[in-house]
């Protein structure tokens, strides 16, 4: 019974991650297909010519459409149309705030020069002596830097996610009070999402200890010098062997 129980647990460890991953992927593909498939004209829908359904056709259409839109906006006419559209959106009272915020977030996250979620840090939160895991999302607002100039300098924004990360807290902390960890963002997210169950491996290189035995001091020619070991020199042993022969 103990061996069967071990086999059962081993089977769960193998099948559970695969099943959950497949389920999430299938749910995402089905969600996109449910919205995009009715918009495809029947003439261009391959399911009308095949006796079976093709999963993922909606995702493929979205990828192609986004790529074509990006190619169009890269040209002169596309930039002109985009500028006119943003001008119209900018005149709408509520829509312009939502559009501007979402656009700025995507530009900051997708930009190669962005430092958002590049460093995993540990800060004392919610009280001194209790450490929380966070991610540096950038520098604090200039107004915050100006008002706290005499109290704290070089303030950074640190996002402290909950476990599981459905929400989080924004803390503005001086950089000197932030401890940068030698941990990747992926390992930090795994640690948060698992509630501390999944501990990432140690990334710090292992130090090699020097040999414990006594060795020759620097600047000496051999082990028979002062401060070396008491073993006789090889040349002396060879000479003694020849004399005995």
């Amino acid at each position: 019974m103990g061996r069967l129980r071990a086999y059962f647990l081993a089977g769960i460890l193998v099948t559970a991650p695969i099943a959950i991953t497949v389920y999430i992927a299938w749910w995402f593909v089905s969600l996109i297909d449910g919205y995009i498939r009715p918009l495809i004209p029947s003439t261009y829908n391959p399911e009308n010519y095949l006796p079976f359904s093709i999963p993922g056709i909606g995702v493929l259409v979205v990828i192609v459409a986004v790529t074509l839109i990006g190619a169009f906006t890269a040209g002169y006419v596309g930039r002109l149309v985009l500028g006119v559209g943003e001008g119209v959106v900018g005149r709408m009272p509520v829509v312009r705030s939502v559009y501007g915020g979402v656009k700025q977030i995507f530009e900051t996250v997708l930009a190669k020069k962005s430092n958002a979620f590049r460093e995993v840090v540990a800060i004392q939160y919610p009280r001194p002596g209790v450490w929380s895991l966070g991610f540096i999302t950038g520098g604090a607002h200039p107004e915050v830097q100006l008002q706290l100039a005499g109290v704290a300098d070089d303030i950074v924004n640190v996002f402290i996610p909950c476990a599981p990360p459905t929400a989080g807290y924004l803390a503005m902390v001086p950089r000197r009070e932030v401890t940068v960890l030698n941990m990747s963002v992926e390992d930090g997210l795994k640690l948060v999402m698992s509630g501390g169950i999944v501990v990432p491996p140690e990334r710090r290189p292992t130090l090699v200890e020097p040999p414990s035995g006594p060795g020759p001091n620097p600047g000496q020619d051999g082990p028979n010098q002062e401060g070396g070991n008491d073993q006789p020199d090889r040349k002396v042993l060879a000479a003694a062997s020849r004399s005995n022969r």
Side-chain angles (χ1 to χ4, degrees):
M1 292 301 297
R3 183 172 298 180
L4 291 177
R5 179 176 177 273
Y7 290 161
F8 178 74
L9 294 178
I12 292 179
L13 291 176
V14 173
T15 57
I18 298 176
I20 294 175
T21 304
V22 172
Y23 173 78
I24 294 176
W26 184 264
W27 172 81
F28 178 76
V29 170
S30 301
L31 180 65
I32 300 298
D33 286 351
Y35 285 104
I36 302 300
R37 189 176 298 170
L39 303 178
I40 302 176
S42 58
T43 306
Y44 301 100
N45 193 349
E47 294 184 353
N48 296 330
Y49 308 99
L50 298 175
F52 54 87
S53 177
I54 303 177
I57 187 172
V59 178
L60 180 61
V61 171
V62 169
I63 293 175
V64 173
V66 171
T67 305
L68 293 178
I69 291 175
F72 174 73
T73 54
Y76 174 77
V77 178
R79 290 197 299 268
L80 183 62
V81 173
L82 182 62
V84 173
E86 288 185 346
V88 173
V89 173
R91 297 176 182 273
M92 301 180 181
V94 179
V95 178
R96 64 183 178 186
S97 301
V98 177
Y99 174 77
V102 173
K103 180 182 178 182
Q104 188 173 5
I105 291 174
F106 273 89
E107 288 179 349
T108 304
V109 173
L110 297 180
K112 294 182 180 180
K113 61 181 180 180
S114 173
N115 293 324
F117 283 85
R118 296 291 179 88
E119 293 178 302
V120 184
V121 298
I123 64 173
Q124 298 192 50
Y125 180 88
R127 63 175 178 83
V130 177
W131 294 85
S132 298
L133 195 70
F135 303 89
I136 293 181
T137 57
H141 193 274
E143 180 64 21
V144 177
Q145 302 278 7
L146 179 62
Q147 295 296 332
L148 301 180
V151 180
D153 298 328
D154 194 10
I155 302 175
V156 295
N157 293 331
V158 179
F159 178 72
I160 306 173
C162 298
T166 55
Y169 305 93
L170 174 62
M172 291 175 285
V173 188
R175 185 173 286 274
R176 66 175 181 270
E177 298 182 5
V178 172
T179 303
V180 180
L181 304 178
N182 187 22
M183 182 188 304
S184 64
V185 176
E186 182 180 1
D187 290 341
L189 291 175
K190 288 180 181 178
L191 184 62
V192 174
M193 292 180 65
S194 64
I197 298 176
V198 178
V199 180
E202 175 67 33
R203 298 172 60 91
R204 195 178 303 277
T206 305
L207 297 178
V208 179
E209 297 182 358
S212 58
N217 295 332
Q220 294 181 351
D221 297 330
N224 244 2
Q225 303 293 334
E226 295 181 2
N229 52 24
D230 297 330
Q231 297 295 332
D233 194 358
R234 293 183 179 180
K235 295 181 179 179
V236 177
L237 294 177
S241 178
R242 287 194 298 269
S243 63
N244 290 335
R245 287 200 297 264

